[in-house]
Amino acid sequence: MTHDVDRYLAGKPPGAVELFRRFRAMVLAAGECEERVHRTEVAWADRRVFASAFIASGRLEVAIDLLRQVEHPALLQSFPTTRKVCTHRFTFTAADQLDADIEAWLVEAHDDVGPGTR
């Protein structure tokens, strides 16, 4: 899959690519998952997608699905996507924004949303 990711990242701004790679490493460290590389984004799933990311105008745009709402300085919006799941959209422009909270929420998303909810 790394080859597909490299193809997705080709030609994108170097700073945003670095942020993407850092975020991707955090997702992959959260636990075993499938990486789904599309033309416009990359998503990570177990049975259900729990996180996704794309690069737009030199910044990293991310979605993390959780069973609760959270707050963060980089949070753009959160909204319910099912009765249980709330999608959180973040924008990152600096590596220090990918902090311990984001890392913990990725583990939570992987464990609670990735397997699917009923």
Side-chain angles (χ1 to χ4, degrees), residues 1-55:
M1 283 295 182
T2 302
H3 181 66
D4 292 336
V5 169
D6 289 342
R7 194 172 344 181
Y8 169 77
L9 294 173
K12 304 241 184 330
V17 168
E18 181 181 328
L19 290 172
F20 179 93
R21 290 191 186 284
R22 183 178 173 125
F23 180 78
R24 178 179 183 255
M26 293 169 83
V27 173
L28 297 178
E32 191 173 324
C33 61
E34 175 188 355
E35 187 168 65
R36 300 175 182 173
V37 181
H38 305 281
R39 184 180 60 77
T40 58
E41 73 169 4
V42 178
W44 295 271
D46 181 357
R47 277 183 242 145
R48 181 190 190 285
V49 171
F50 62 88
S52 62
F54 65 93
I55 293 173

Side-chain angles (χ1 to χ4, degrees), residues 57-98:
S57 301
R59 54 183 200 278
L60 180 64
E61 301 286 333
V62 164
I64 301 174
D65 290 347
L66 298 168
L67 299 181
R68 63 190 178 101
Q69 286 195 309
V70 297
E71 293 294 327
H72 189 274
L75 182 68
L76 288 177
Q77 69 180 135
S78 60
F79 51 90
T81 40
T82 70
R83 285 187 200 180
K84 291 184 177 183
V85 177
C86 184
T87 296
H88 297 77
R89 289 193 54 236
F90 300 88
T91 290
F92 300 110
T93 55
D96 63 348
Q97 294 174 305
L98 293 166

Side-chain angles (χ1 to χ4, degrees), residues 26 29-31 50 66 102-113:
M26 293 169 83
F50 62 88
L66 298 168
I102 299 299
E103 195 167 21
W105 294 332
L106 285 169
V107 171
E108 185 178 328
H110 173 273
D111 293 349
D112 296 347
V113 177

